[in-house]
Amino acid sequence: MKFATSSILAIGCAMAVSAVPSSLYKRADSCPVDAISCSSSSGGSCCTPTNGLLVLVQQWVKGYGPSDAFTLHGLWPDTCSGGIPGSGDSGCDSSRNYDDVGAIVQDGNSTLYDSMNTYWPSYKGDNGAFWTHEWNKHGTCVSTYDPECYGSSYNQYDDVYDYFSKALELRETYDLYAILEEAGITPGGSYSSKEMISAIESSTGATPRITCSSGTISEIWLFFNVKGSATYVPTDATSGSSCSGDVDYPAKN
């Protein structure tokens, strides 16, 4: 399953997940060489994300997604102090709010669409509505995906494809199921929250945020600053975990 995911992402979206829009290379002389978000060398809004603390939220929901994978809740750009940018559900650019992101992705990149259905399902049953919400509220707040940053190379919806592709790439790179499994933490048991946090810290080099519902693992948040427009650098969580004591990590099926 993990091999298939890698192949899907490599083929999909013409390597959009790892590629920097070509126009950003043209802007390289106007961006600091060491540009990294939330620093004195962050550069302009096309150099690094203005809302430069990016939060990758993965969730563990019984009955949803592969049995050996956390699925995505979202990739959320926060202000450097941890605040939520934008204007509610319309995010940071209402002119790029869409009614059906699922249809946009399905029509423009069926491979990406299939991967999203596998690793980004809605537990409420409407994937398209879920993705539309995530794009409108969060995707429009990643400043490096502003069409102006692509220059003449921009094609309609490149920003949408790149946002979702990057989130899927990060989910694969920071495979929480594999990270926990390496530490002997597998579904069907209970483990201390400290043990789970330590396993993730050892793998990523940064402290995550783990959330629980009635003592059961719910979500794991990974925090990043961004070097340039596409290199995500793990950093410590800005808020504490809600889990304490032993945490139930149930099998999905």
Side-chain angles (χ1 to χ4, degrees), residues 7 53 78 93 95-96 126 166-167 177 225:
S7 298
L53 183 65
D78 284 355
D93 185 354
S95 71
R96 291 189 291 142
D126 189 338
K166 172 55 74 174
Y177 182 93
N225 291 130

Side-chain angles (χ1 to χ4, degrees), residues 24-39:
L24 294 187
Y25 288 114
K26 298 175 185 177
R27 295 169 178 259
D29 58 351
S30 64
C31 292
V33 174
D34 58 347
I36 187 166
S37 64
C38 298
S39 76

Side-chain angles (χ1 to χ4, degrees), residues 140-158:
T140 60
C141 290
V142 184
S143 65
T144 49
Y145 292 140
D146 189 312
E148 291 185 359
C149 296
Y150 293 74
S152 61
S153 71
Y154 178 75
N155 294 307
Q156 188 177 30
Y157 305 133
D158 277 352

Side-chain angles (χ1 to χ4, degrees), residues 188-208:
S190 292
Y191 307 89
S192 74
S193 57
K194 290 182 179 179
E195 186 179 3
M196 299 181 84
I197 291 171
S198 178
I200 297 168
E201 283 179 333
S202 295
S203 178
T204 66
T207 303

Side-chain angles (χ1 to χ4, degrees), residues 51 62 91 121 137 144 150 161 163 172 177 183 186 197 217 223 242:
N51 299 303
K62 292 183 67 175
K137 182 173 183 177
T144 49
Y150 293 74
Y161 305 144
Y163 169 74
E172 184 179 25
Y177 182 93
T186 57
I197 291 171
I217 186 70
F223 293 70
S242 67

